[in-house]
Amino acid sequence: MIPIARPLLGKEEIDAVTEVLSSGMIAQGPKVEEFELAFSEYTGCEYAAAVNSGTAALHIALLAHDIGKEDEVITSPFTFIATANSILYTGAKPVFADIEPDTYNIDPEKIKEKINPKTKAIMPVHLYGQSADMKAIMEIAEDHKLVVIEDACQAHGAECLGKKAGSFGTGAFSFYPTKNMTTSEGGIITTSDREIAEKSKMIRAHGSRVRYLHEMLGFNLRMTDIAAAIGLAQLEKLDGFNASRQKNAAMLSEGLKSISGIVPATTREGYTHVFHQYTIRAQNRDKLADFLKEKGIGTGVHYPIPIHKQPYYMELGYKDSLPVSEKAAEEVLSLPVHPALSRDDVLKVIKEVKEFYASA
Ligand SMILES: *Cc1c(COP(=O)(O)O)cnc(C)c1O
């Protein structure tokens, strides 16, 4: 079976974890601080605050910017549920702006249509490892005095016009095992705003910076030194992992381009796509997925239901019509692109997709 995702963990990670276990310091400690420094440098931000998931990073980033009841946050409906849920946790309202049909990222023109006096922030998602149009989004944010919180949970190392994802506004990354790098569970907030960094660190630890002195309401959303040690080893390998993903993606695009019935993944000029997913539009998507499964190839649908159509959001009263997202949900299919694939694996994926459309 060729899986849709597989974390690559080696001796470096095992040794790093063993070292932490032997030290006896297994909760948040010096490794977390070291990881924060390394990750902030990697993204070109001055600060980072490590937490226990990408969801926590999004939630804390919103709270650190004082977003809550009565506020609206404009985001994409075509993403993992955590993006919008993090907004709901704060009491604010997620407002969905439709996506671009080629990149599947939020459409800046559609963002403009949703801005009103309650709008406080924009939360673009860098979907599949390609940055949203941050030049346009930062201009809109500046014009309307809005906060920008980037859901960079799929975009470790991605760039838009020479600048790293997560360094435009306040960034939120996930280190879940399927992402481009992992800490097991984990997440991080990136920022060059000292106050946001400090507040984020307080919110993750019951609102305190001095032990047993609580200046605000917080949670326990800390990262452990065990996770941070894995993260430090993975960060060393991230550029290599991303290069493998890009190489696999280039092979897929070359091999799939002549097949009628599918639209290969696209990279926008001036952007560095890190291919968290390699996602095509496919005619007979569900049949293709079944066919590939029979041939031993795992695929994924990211995502089959746009958030405004999820049962819980329907219950909340969402009635939007967002046709580009709704159509994408019916057509997209992610093919294996991760760095654990061999050249033969990638060639097999291409061969079987061709086979499906030849016999269809
Ligand atoms: C993975 C992911 C998250 C959530 O990260 P967790 O670490 O699983 O909490 C949020 N947004 C997007 C777009 C993701 O892909």
Side-chain angles (χ1 to χ4, degrees), residues 93-345:
K93 183 184 176 194
V95 171
F96 299 110
D98 212 352
I99 57 170
E100 303 167 335
D102 55 342
T103 66
Y104 309 98
N105 277 325
I106 195 166
D107 184 336
E109 290 305 314
K110 306 278 173 60
I111 292 174
K112 287 183 193 164
E113 292 166 16
K114 303 283 175 165
I115 294 172
N116 69 57
K118 286 187 168 180
T119 309
K120 188 98 181 265
I122 308 171
M123 185 182 275
V125 181
H126 307 311
L127 201 70
Y128 306 148
Q130 174 158 243
S131 169
D133 183 349
M134 292 312 294
K135 185 167 179 284
I137 291 169
M138 295 311 289
E139 278 169 18
I140 296 168
E142 219 161 276
D143 287 350
H144 297 270
K145 304 262 176 298
L146 303 175
V147 165
V148 174
I149 295 168
E150 302 170 64
D151 182 336
C153 289
Q154 303 186 357
H156 319 68
E159 290 181 8
C160 169
L161 308 173
K163 205 166 139 62
K164 284 243 161 54
S167 70
F168 290 87
T170 300
F173 291 82
S174 164
F175 302 118
Y176 189 73
T178 57
K179 312 287 175 167
N180 291 36
M181 62 170 283
T182 187
T183 62
S184 71
E185 295 275 4
I188 204 163
I189 299 140
T190 53
T191 177
S192 288
D193 181 323
R194 189 181 162 154
E195 196 189 319
I196 295 298
E198 275 189 11
K199 261 174 100 174
S200 297
K201 288 179 183 176
M202 285 167 74
I203 295 166
R204 79 175 167 195
H206 284 299
S208 84
R209 51 187 141 193
V210 176
R211 185 171 288 192
Y212 302 130
L213 174 68
H214 304 279
E215 300 169 57
M216 62 190 294
L217 181 66
F219 305 85
N220 175 359
L221 300 171
R222 292 183 297 261
M223 178 181 274
T224 67
D225 263 23
I226 302 169
I230 300 172
L232 280 163
Q234 288 268 298
L235 186 56
E236 292 279 325
K237 302 178 181 180
L238 177 61
D239 285 341
F241 287 162
N242 285 344
S244 297
R245 287 175 181 274
Q246 287 159 346
K247 196 170 120 228
N248 293 340
M251 265 176 84
L252 287 168
S253 287
E254 184 57 32
L256 299 175
K257 73 179 183 203
S258 58
I259 303 174
S260 73
I262 66 170
V263 181
T266 54
T267 303
R268 194 161 276 181
E269 203 181 323
Y271 287 52
T272 302
H273 194 322
V274 294
F275 290 98
H276 171 62
Q277 300 293 355
Y278 184 94
T279 304
I280 62 171
R281 260 184 213 272
Q283 262 173 32
N284 289 322
R285 190 262 318 270
D286 294 337
K287 287 213 174 82
L288 172 61
D290 290 345
F291 178 84
L292 292 175
K293 190 174 168 197
E294 260 171 49
K295 301 290 181 179
I297 298 168
T299 59
V301 176
H302 308 101
Y303 292 88
I305 306 169
I307 297 185
H308 63 290
K309 295 284 189 190
Q310 290 288 352
Y312 181 61
Y313 282 77
M314 301 277 277
E315 231 172 81
L316 291 177
Y318 282 86
K319 291 190 181 71
D320 305 62
S321 164
L322 300 160
V324 186
S325 298
E326 287 159 30
K327 188 157 189 286
E330 288 171 8
E331 297 180 344
V332 293
L333 188 69
S334 302
L335 304 174
V337 73
H338 55 85
L341 298 174
S342 68
R343 190 183 148 78
D344 283 350
D345 290 337

